[in-house]
Amino acid sequence: MDSDHRVGDLVRQLVHHLQNTSSSNPNPEDVNYAIRILSSRMTPPSQAADEANSIKSRLAKQSKLSHALTFADLYSKFASKTGPGSVINKQSLLYLLKVISEDRVTNPHPKSRTDSCYNLLKNGGVLNIVRNPNNTVVRDFARLVSEESDVLEKDLVSDVLSVCEGIHGKYVKFDEMLDSYVLSESIKVSKGMRIMVLKLCELGWLFRKVNRYVCDDIGENVGKSFRVGLQDEVVEYRKLLTVLQSQSLNLSLRRLAVWFVEPMVKMRRMALLVDSCKDLKGGALAGEIHLHAQHGDPLLHEFMKRLLLKVSSPVFEMVRSWVMQGNLQDLHSEFFVSEQSVKPELLWKEGYQINYLMLPSFISKSLATRVLRTGKSINFLKVCCEDHSWADLAPSRGLGYGETNALESLVTEAEKRIDKHLMHAIFNRYKFKDHCLAIKRFILLGQGDFVQYLMETVGPVLAEPAKTISLIHLSGLVEKAILSSGAQYDDRDILDRIKVKMMMPHGVKDRGWDVFHLDYDIRVPLNTVFTESVMGSYLRVFSFLWKIRRVEHAVLGAWKTMKPNLTSCHVFTNYPKAVGLQIVSTSRKCQLLWDKMNNFVMSMQAYIMFEVLEVTWAKFCNEMEASKDLDDLIAAHEKYLVTIVEKSLLGETSEALYKALLMLLDVILRFTSVADRLYEFRTRNTATSKTKDANKTSKSKGLETDSWLNEGRKAVTQRAGEFLSIIGQDLDAVSKEYSSVLKGFISQLPTQRHVDLKFLMFRLDFTEFYKLAA
């Protein structure tokens, strides 16, 4: 009972204190109302801040802006108060006040009730039941109020609002030297008020920086969009300042600080963007803004998203135009695809490149590569193929920031359509595979009957000095070889592309064999694949294969002269017996050496034709069929050609092996020359009816046998012995050099990278004869 009386007394004292009236007793109705409220059971919300925002929003919707400002200011003070004498459970108290306010609407009550609620907050958020004259807060407040000032606070508020619009205030000015707003020291204001003014003027300084950038007239598309986005935020910012100007008489510096919280955050971010992006353009600018958007603050996230929608729009439009139409209208070099003027054959590899400095961070490098190839394919069709049937008339909608999946879908759809059309044109209209096969058959000497006819036709001519050979005559002989082989039934367009060239300049000692080569005329657009560099590699391979074919032809020709026949049998009747026996001995030596060399040449020829050309061609055909775009096709062909070069010992890692092989081929050619000399001696007819032309021929070969065959048997035996001795010595020298070079050649094969080259060693030395001999 005593406790109930005590609670009642305390409630009456509280109501009397809040009413602050001269009456000694409070209004009984107010006391009963307070007891009813305090005795009720109410569940407070989990977050008082939500209730505060709700109250402020409701007041703003009711066009009670001054009340909303007052409430925000009072709540800020109330929430910041801690320590002795302050309200501990602020959430419950704020909810209590809200309930009282709502109850007043439904149940009108004397005015004193709401006055008490308002005064509770108006008292600075400190609930003092007993007046304490020694309270430090009250004492400090009294001292600050009594402090003298030359300027009214409302005038400073007006100045701050002017500064925030970029206009000089009456008391606050912009100092160019300090690059900041200052309040003159000659103006007498409190220290706290001076600090508050300078803090609030930061918003004006930030606005000044942003507005100066926005007002610059820059012709770049992305830069313009960035300025438009900033301008939209500046417009919203100016609207807020207009509202605050209309309520300036009811504002204080502290209230301004509350209202400036949100615009200050946005303006700081915009100023930071201006500093970061002032020297950037195009995709680099959009990418920098995207990096600043990676922020956890929901307020900044929404603001940056609105800005990026504006900034990224020109970038996405350039991507759409490029992948759909191949248009690159980039006057200010803002797009991440750059263009340069080149010849049609270089358009694909050098005409368009990715400028990674302009690649926005929200577009991956892999996607950028696909974007590049799609637009490049369209321009390749237009420029190199003169093909405009690829155009897709279906319109595509515009894309915006955040629609990365839609962008990838757009690029995927466009690249599939364009790549399919381009590959169809390359294979069907321009017969890419047919031309590759023609190069293999004629330049890589894969057409056996053609090569055989060519050797027999041009061989005698190529034995002459290079400077005496007519290119027109050689072209006629090549055409004759084509018509004599199965190649005559090929497409005429392909046959007309086979050309004869002579490597320039000619050396004094160069023969036709040294400078002759076949070429294949490649035209647009296939010269994108068969570039000058590629055809240069084919020329190197041809020269190597032509050398092997020449040696093979020479070795087979030597066998035709060496094999026993009716003509060579008459040798023994024309010469003394001793000479005949010496001829037989030398011929056997020559035949044994020929057999070794023939085995090597045939093994090399088989390796080149089957292990190199045919196997590599089969793999290339598979990769050719699997190619989805021109890049894949170029890569497959480059791999094909590189494999041929390396497996043919023409690569950089096989340089020493290649030199050894050339030495072997030169030694074999010298051997065929010696064998020809021996054959001429064996078949020399002793009849006196030989023509003078035959004598001249023998003299030109150094075999002046006709002059000493009539000198008698003794002279014949002596002269023939001397000649055969020289031939034997030449054969011994060739055999020794051949064995030495071959051993060196075989010893290098195990160190080669390709397995096929190691298999070549097995072909050449399957009995390990050379290994054991070493």
Side-chain angles (χ1 to χ4, degrees), residues 566-582:
L566 184 62
T567 303
S568 61
C569 290
H570 291 296
V571 170
F572 302 103
T573 62
N574 297 332
Y575 293 103
K577 184 177 181 180
V579 175
L581 293 176
Q582 196 172 1

Side-chain angles (χ1 to χ4, degrees), residues 515-526:
V515 298
F516 169 83
H517 76 270
L518 294 179
D519 193 17
Y520 196 79
D521 183 20
I522 293 293
R523 302 158 195 169
V524 176
L526 295 186

Side-chain angles (χ1 to χ4, degrees), residues 730-748:
D730 290 345
L731 289 174
D732 291 338
V734 168
S735 177
K736 183 177 181 181
E737 184 178 1
Y738 174 77
S739 298
S740 176
V741 176
L742 181 60
K743 289 178 183 178
F745 177 80
I746 292 178
S747 66
Q748 296 183 58

Side-chain angles (χ1 to χ4, degrees), residues 7 94 283 625 746:
V7 170
L94 184 64
E625 296 296 333
I746 292 178

Side-chain angles (χ1 to χ4, degrees), residues 320 322-325 367 370-371 373-375 377-378 390-397 399 404-421 628:
R320 190 201 64 80
W322 173 251
V323 300
M324 298 302 294
Q325 300 174 349
L367 180 58
R370 293 165 56 197
V371 169
R373 191 185 66 249
T374 303
S377 299
I378 294 175
W390 53 267
D392 185 8
L393 300 179
S396 61
R397 68 177 184 87
L399 299 174
T404 306
N405 292 335
L407 176 63
E408 290 194 1
S409 298
L410 174 68
V411 174
T412 300
E413 179 183 352
E415 70 177 342
K416 285 183 179 178
R417 176 173 53 85
I418 298 300
D419 288 339
K420 182 179 180 181
H421 187 91
K628 296 180 179 180

Side-chain angles (χ1 to χ4, degrees), residues 330-375:
D330 188 18
L331 299 178
H332 305 287
S333 301
E334 298 178 273
F335 194 32
F336 59 83
V337 175
S338 61
E339 178 184 19
Q340 56 182 349
S341 179
V342 295
K343 297 179 180 179
E345 59 267 25
L346 299 177
L347 180 67
W348 183 264
K349 289 190 175 181
E350 301 179 12
Y352 303 97
Q353 303 291 336
I354 294 181
N355 182 4
Y356 288 100
L357 294 178
M358 289 296 144
L359 180 62
S361 52
F362 50 81
I363 296 180
S364 64
K365 291 184 178 180
S366 60
L367 180 58
T369 301
R370 293 165 56 197
V371 169
L372 170 68
R373 191 185 66 249
T374 303

Side-chain angles (χ1 to χ4, degrees), residues 236-512:
E236 293 298 320
Y237 167 75
R238 288 183 183 274
K239 289 180 180 178
L240 173 63
L241 291 183
T242 301
V243 174
L244 294 178
Q245 285 281 10
S246 65
Q247 300 293 329
S248 61
L249 296 178
N250 299 323
L251 292 175
S252 65
L253 294 175
R254 290 185 178 276
R255 289 180 181 179
L256 275 184
V258 175
W259 281 98
F260 279 4
V261 170
E262 182 175 328
M264 186 75 78
V265 172
K266 289 185 180 179
M267 200 61 70
R268 281 175 180 164
R269 179 60 56 173
M270 287 192 286
L272 180 61
L273 289 174
V274 168
D275 285 338
S276 302
C277 304
K278 61 184 178 181
D279 297 325
L280 300 178
K281 65 177 181 179
L285 173 60
E288 182 67 19
I289 296 174
H290 170 71
L291 294 178
H292 283 275
Q294 310 309 304
H295 202 285
D297 188 341
L299 174 64
L300 283 178
H301 181 74
E302 290 300 321
F303 158 67
M304 294 300 297
K305 184 177 181 180
R306 291 195 302 271
L307 190 59
L308 275 168
L309 285 174
K310 296 281 187 183
V311 173
S312 62
S313 178
V315 177
F316 281 106
E317 177 57 28
M318 284 188 281
V319 172
R320 190 201 64 80
S321 179
W322 173 251
V323 300
M324 298 302 294
Q325 300 174 349
N327 293 335
L328 190 60
Q329 299 176 353
D330 188 18
L331 299 178
H332 305 287
S333 301
E334 298 178 273
F335 194 32
F336 59 83
V337 175
S338 61
E339 178 184 19
Q340 56 182 349
S341 179
V342 295
K343 297 179 180 179
E345 59 267 25
L346 299 177
L347 180 67
W348 183 264
K349 289 190 175 181
E350 301 179 12
Y352 303 97
Q353 303 291 336
I354 294 181
N355 182 4
Y356 288 100
L357 294 178
M358 289 296 144
L359 180 62
S361 52
F362 50 81
I363 296 180
S364 64
K365 291 184 178 180
S366 60
L367 180 58
T369 301
R370 293 165 56 197
V371 169
L372 170 68
R373 191 185 66 249
T374 303
K376 188 166 61 172
S377 299
I378 294 175
N379 283 279
F380 184 81
L381 284 168
K382 290 193 293 187
V383 176
C384 298
C385 302
E386 297 181 353
D387 185 349
H388 298 275
S389 59
W390 53 267
D392 185 8
L393 300 179
S396 61
R397 68 177 184 87
L399 299 174
Y401 176 74
E403 297 183 276
T404 306
N405 292 335
L407 176 63
E408 290 194 1
S409 298
L410 174 68
V411 174
T412 300
E413 179 183 352
E415 70 177 342
K416 285 183 179 178
R417 176 173 53 85
I418 298 300
D419 288 339
K420 182 179 180 181
H421 187 91
L422 176 58
M423 297 303 287
H424 182 270
I426 291 293
F427 281 106
N428 293 274
R429 179 180 172 186
Y430 294 100
K431 301 179 180 179
F432 176 79
K433 187 173 182 178
D434 292 345
H435 290 293
C436 289
L437 181 59
I439 291 176
K440 172 180 176 292
R441 293 168 59 200
F442 298 107
I443 306 303
L444 301 184
L445 305 180
Q447 181 81 18
D449 56 346
F450 163 75
V451 176
Q452 183 65 31
Y453 282 119
L454 184 64
M455 284 287 179
E456 294 176 357
T457 304
V458 304
V461 178
L462 296 181
E464 301 296 327
K467 62 182 179 179
T468 65
I469 300 176
S470 169
L471 187 61
I472 298 177
H473 181 50
L474 278 180
S475 299
L477 294 177
V478 171
E479 180 67 21
K480 181 179 179 181
I482 291 175
L483 296 177
S484 301
S485 66
Q488 61 180 306
Y489 303 108
D490 289 352
D491 187 351
R492 193 65 239 178
D493 177 64
I494 289 179
L495 297 179
D496 289 340
R497 293 170 181 259
I498 302 172
K499 307 294 181 181
V500 177
K501 288 191 175 181
M502 304 283 281
M503 296 179 61
M504 300 294 288
H506 302 324
V508 177
K509 298 182 179 180
D510 286 340
R511 297 282 173 176

